[in-house]
Amino acid sequence: MIDFNLDSDAIATLAWNMPGRSQNVLNEESCNALCDAIERVVGDTDVKGILMTSEKADFIAGGDLEWLLTSDDPAVLFERVMRLNRALRKLETCGKPVAMALPGMTLGGGLEVALVGHYRVAANNPKARFGLPEVTLGLLPGGGGTQRLPRLIGIQKSLPLLLEGKRLSAADALKAGILHAVVDAGSEVAAAHAWLLTAIASGAPAQQPWDVKGFKVPGGAMASPAMQQVIMASNAMVRAKTYGNYPAPQHILSCVYEGMITDLDTALQTEARYFVQTVLTPEAKNMIRTLFFSMNEANKLAARPSGVPTQRYTKIGVIGAGMMGAGIAYVAAKAGLQVTLIDMAQEAGEKGKAYSQALIDKQLTRGQTTPDKAQALLDRITPTTDYALLDGAEIVIEAVFEDRALKAGVTQRSEAVIAADAIFASNTSTLPISGLAEASARPANFIGLHFFSPVDKMKLVEVIVGKQTSDATLARALDLVKALGMTPIVVNDARGFYTSRVFSTYVLEGMAMLAEGVSPALIDNAGLQAGMPVGPLALTDEVSCELIHKIDRQTKLDLGDAYVARPGHAVAAQMVALGRIGKKAGMGFYDYPQDAKKHLWSGLKQLYPLAAVQPTVQQLVERLTVVQAVDTARCMEEGVLRTARDADVGAILGWGFPPFLGGPLSMIHSIGVAAFVAQCERLAVQHGARFAPPALLLDMAAKEQTFYPKAH
């Protein structure tokens, strides 16, 4: 667990080496081992210096969240945190010099342990990152991070790492003052050892800066007017960004403010109390469930059918060099794959390749890549009009316009060239995969891969299984998503699949509210306060009313008598008739003047007069979130979704469903199925059948079933 070695220089090396794990983590066993090791080295008079490092590629990757969630008892959690804090405090105040040799990743609890060292030296490892990312999972550092980091580098410099979870490279961590040195990989232990020899030879007891009499916080103490202003500004910024939906950032600020006006021992208790309070919030539980456990399962291809050999990709084809195709080409080339990028005109293909050039140019200016790597990536993309160059591609992904005839043509031209076992994938966002597969001579090898725009930033891929798609094709398609470094969810074929379908309920509900006479500013502000990245009307402008109206018309044609109109579609149709189709036209629900900020179109008041009585923001927030959650439940009932995991991961990554709710099904889980059913029934009476709970939820409520284990 933690290997011990005392050398002839009286230096004890504590090397983390957790068995059966690729990374070291802080859990019950390792914390016990750490506390025991600290007792040993502190109490042993033969030990003159202490070196802590790792036998693995990384130092410590953070805390084990499974262990964190094993108790809901605040007293148990508080004592668990304080036991670690007491041990770390004992180590840094024992008078013996302590050096940390950090070979790689040092995040969360790992950095908190490292901060206890009097000297920190890291390997020059390009993959290594240093930071306290707990806030991204709805948590705060509980091992002294909110107290030692501000005392080390200053309050103002520490806040972005604490409040945003920023991860720094070794060079940036050195520049920030978190590290004392960065050395060639493999020499960090020797460097730490050399420092310890010097420190031992000096004969002076080792002390942390904050334990030295007369210590002053770098950049100013909390009592200074400048730091008071920093905290006030940070409070305002947190509120503006989170709308009060996320307890963790607010608690982090409280930890810093309260802790920095006391001694460190008192401050650690303050942090521990806030840590326990935060861990037990539903927001933290939701975020940990989806953004950690479910995301890790998705990334590890939990949905992959077993018994299919892993597909190793070397070459792919991409048809259509527009924004989507160009983005797919870039991420594939970045992953080291050869890409044949096909369009109808060579000029269009070259333009698609230029998209990668533009992304790389930005990276070069920021020092994020080298000219050699940049050129190698570009050399892997071959723009062409010649389908014969698809020969050798293990998979072809079409990203052409949403036109069935056009897609059928490129399917057939591609299959005439590629190997019999190669996969053909459609990047459609709306057209059913089983219908598109009718153009294929090998429908078992046909699958949907729905990427999101911009592809280089949006990590989700919705993998759509058609009626004839084989398990082998699904497994191999998932292998590609993993090779691209993206996160897959798997859904069964249906109109709009999952993400496009449920996303549309949000924008349509916003338009339905407008038709009811709700103030457009109130509608969009409610969307933001609900935790969505953009209000529903502003988001409609981004995707365009024209697209929403076009999909609605096609759906009506396809379904005939089975078509059911949804409130909101009539508003989209009216906006299209007025030519106000959205941002791309410079006018939609908003006007987009070239020399000023966008603003709501004044004509909306005449088109949709305001109702005499306006709903509360909370009433609108409820509608905007429940409408998405209830339709997600319908997707589960209809078999579109296979797992709650994919529902929640897809919602957060795909269209920005509020992370603090954990996803639509996590939201239902937190509320309780029976309580959510009652909520839906009330909203259905008030606003229509779109809120009616499906039979699945009624049955689950009657049987007291949940989407996730109750402990989670």
Side-chain angles (χ1 to χ4, degrees):
M1 187 71 70
I2 298 179
D3 300 333
F4 175 90
N5 177 62
L6 181 62
D7 66 20
S8 57
D9 294 312
I11 293 172
T13 298
L14 304 178
W16 284 72
N17 190 15
M18 293 183 71
R21 285 180 178 262
S22 60
Q23 291 182 309
N24 301 310
V25 295
L26 290 167
N27 63 10
E28 186 171 14
E29 293 78 19
S30 64
C31 282
N32 286 339
L34 177 61
C35 292
D36 291 344
I38 290 171
E39 286 291 333
R40 181 176 181 181
V41 294
V42 169
D44 190 339
T45 55
D46 290 336
V47 173
K48 305 301 180 187
I50 301 155
L51 193 162
M52 192 177 291
T53 188
S54 168
E55 293 290 346
K56 298 184 186 291
D58 297 317
F59 182 54
I60 304 170
D64 183 342
L65 295 177
E66 285 276 14
W67 179 48
L68 192 61
L69 299 177
T70 54
S71 177
D72 276 342
D73 185 333
V76 170
L77 290 170
F78 182 78
E79 178 50 33
R80 194 179 284 173
V81 173
M82 285 310 300
R83 182 176 180 231
L84 177 63
N85 275 327
R86 286 191 295 268
L88 294 176
R89 191 77 179 116
K90 189 169 193 174
L91 182 64
E92 72 179 344
T93 59
C94 71
K96 301 176 184 183
V98 179
M100 300 284 174
L102 312 172
M105 208 71 76
T106 306
L107 293 171
L111 183 58
E112 291 179 289
V113 171
L115 289 175
V116 172
H118 304 111
Y119 183 76
R120 290 171 296 282
V121 55
N124 188 10
N125 177 346
K127 292 182 180 178
R129 290 295 179 269
F130 302 80
L132 298 168
E134 286 89 341
V135 71
T136 62
L137 292 175
L139 296 172
L140 57 85
T146 68
Q147 303 308 316
R148 289 190 179 89
L149 190 64
R151 285 170 170 81
L152 180 68
I153 67 174
I155 295 166
Q156 189 165 5
K157 285 171 69 177
S158 70
L159 287 177
L161 283 91
L162 291 166
L163 294 173
E164 300 167 33
K166 284 190 174 181
R167 302 172 184 220
L168 304 178
S169 65
D172 287 339
L174 177 66
K175 198 182 300 179
I178 295 170
L179 300 174
H180 294 94
V182 176
V183 298
D184 290 341
S187 65
E188 64 276 3
V189 171
H193 196 276
W195 180 86
L196 284 168
L197 289 176
T198 303
I200 294 167
S202 75
Q207 281 185 295
Q208 293 284 28
W210 44 85
D211 288 323
V212 176
K213 191 174 180 180
F215 167 70
K216 291 184 178 178
V217 179
M222 185 57 74
S224 71
M227 285 308 109
Q228 291 290 316
Q229 284 190 332
V230 165
I231 291 294
M232 285 172 63
S234 297
N235 260 312
M237 186 180 71
V238 164
R239 182 70 197 179
K241 282 188 173 181
T242 69
Y243 294 92
N245 289 322
Y246 296 83
Q250 201 61 57
H251 289 174
I252 287 169
L253 278 172
S254 296
C255 282
V256 174
Y257 185 81
E258 295 173 32
M260 295 300 286
I261 58 176
T262 65
D263 62 273
L264 184 63
D265 291 294
T266 305
L268 292 173
Q269 292 187 52
T270 299
E271 180 192 80
R273 282 195 294 271
Y274 276 111
F275 177 78
V276 170
Q277 189 180 335
T278 309
V279 166
L280 296 177
T281 61
E283 292 85 357
K285 291 185 176 182
N286 286 336
M287 292 174 75
I288 291 168
R289 181 191 304 118
T290 301
L291 298 178
F292 185 77
F293 292 115
S294 292
M295 197 85 79
N296 282 345
E297 287 175 17
N299 287 330
K300 289 176 181 175
L301 308 189
R304 189 184 191 276
S306 59
V308 181
T310 301
Q311 173 75 59
R312 306 292 179 194
Y313 287 91
T314 57
K315 177 180 177 179
I316 75 165
V318 178
I319 303 177
M323 189 169 177
M324 291 301 295
I328 296 167
Y330 168 76
V331 296
K334 187 181 178 186
L337 307 182
Q338 296 293 325
V339 183
T340 299
L341 181 59
I342 293 182
D343 211 301
M344 289 187 291
Q346 185 66 28
E347 185 183 2
E350 298 289 351
K351 188 178 176 184
K353 183 174 180 175
Y355 179 83
S356 291
Q357 178 78 64
L359 290 175
I360 286 169
D361 288 345
K362 282 183 187 175
Q363 292 164 22
L364 284 167
T365 59
R366 295 170 186 159
Q368 294 170 332
T369 189
T370 64
D372 287 349
K373 287 180 181 176
Q375 191 56 53
L377 188 154
L378 286 171
D379 289 345
R380 288 193 283 271
I381 301 174
T382 304
T384 183
T385 60
D386 187 0
Y387 277 73
L389 296 187
L390 291 175
D391 186 31
E394 293 94 358
I395 188 170
V396 172
I397 304 167
E398 66 83 359
V400 300
F401 294 117
E402 295 287 85
D403 179 286
R404 284 192 179 90
L406 178 61
K407 289 179 183 290
V410 301
T411 301
Q412 290 159 357
R413 291 184 71 181
S414 301
E415 288 184 348
V417 176
I418 57 178
D421 64 346
I423 297 170
F424 190 90
S426 174
N427 178 56
T428 182
S429 60
T430 55
L431 299 174
I433 289 298
S434 302
L436 295 178
E438 290 172 6
S440 171
R442 31 184 136 152
N445 289 20
F446 197 104
I447 198 165
L449 289 179
H450 177 203
F451 291 81
F452 294 75
S453 182
V455 181
D456 57 290
K457 291 180 181 172
M458 299 289 281
K459 293 298 182 185
L460 184 71
V461 180
E462 186 176 24
V463 181
I464 304 120
V465 178
K467 286 189 176 70
Q468 296 186 64
T469 305
S470 69
D471 277 356
T473 297
L474 170 58
R476 293 166 63 206
L478 288 171
D479 292 338
L480 175 69
V481 177
K482 186 173 184 177
L484 297 181
M486 303 180 88
T487 299
I489 62 167
V490 178
V491 304
N492 292 323
D493 193 20
R495 185 168 301 279
F497 317 127
Y498 166 55
T499 56
S500 297
R501 167 178 164 173
V502 180
F503 159 77
S504 72
T505 66
Y506 173 66
V507 292
L508 288 170
E509 195 62 25
M511 287 188 275
M513 291 170 176
L514 186 68
E516 293 167 19
V518 180
S519 162
L522 185 58
I523 294 167
D524 269 3
N525 279 325
L528 294 172
Q529 293 200 36
M532 295 291 290
V534 186
L537 302 180
L539 192 53
T540 303
D541 273 3
E542 293 288 336
V543 300
S544 98
C545 272
E546 187 177 43
L547 177 61
I548 291 166
H549 182 51
K550 185 178 178 183
I551 292 169
D552 182 45
R553 280 188 307 175
Q554 187 63 55
T555 303
K556 194 172 183 179
L557 282 171
D558 291 349
L559 296 183
D561 292 342
Y563 170 80
V564 178
R566 194 173 189 116
H569 277 132
V571 175
Q574 190 162 17
M575 294 296 281
V576 170
L578 292 170
R580 301 193 66 90
I581 60 173
K583 188 176 179 180
K584 67 180 181 181
M587 54 182 187
F589 295 109
Y590 287 77
D591 280 323
Y592 298 86
Q594 288 186 348
D595 54 352
K597 283 186 175 181
K598 72 176 185 182
H599 54 82
L600 281 161
W601 174 43
S602 58
L604 283 176
K605 293 175 185 175
Q606 286 75 47
L607 203 58
Y608 302 105
L610 296 184
V613 178
Q614 293 288 303
T616 65
V617 169
Q618 195 48 48
Q619 286 172 324
L620 299 182
V621 166
E622 181 185 41
R623 283 175 63 179
L624 290 170
T625 51
V626 169
V627 77
Q628 298 177 69
V630 74
D631 208 50
T632 301
R634 289 191 193 104
C635 288
M636 286 291 286
E637 180 180 70
E638 294 165 19
V640 176
L641 285 163
R642 297 178 168 201
T643 63
R645 172 195 68 232
D646 284 352
D648 287 341
V649 169
I652 291 175
L653 293 188
W655 72 86
F657 189 86
F660 76 93
L661 294 174
L665 298 187
S666 272
M667 172 183 147
I668 296 172
H669 180 80
S670 292
I671 293 168
V673 177
F676 183 76
V677 163
Q679 199 176 10
C680 289
E681 288 173 339
R682 170 173 51 80
L683 289 170
V685 170
Q686 294 170 344
H687 301 290
R690 63 191 179 279
F691 286 101
L696 171 69
L697 290 182
L698 296 171
D699 188 51
M700 287 177 70
K703 295 176 180 174
E704 297 185 353
Q705 293 175 334
T706 57
F707 286 111
Y708 292 98
K710 289 184 180 178
H712 289 188

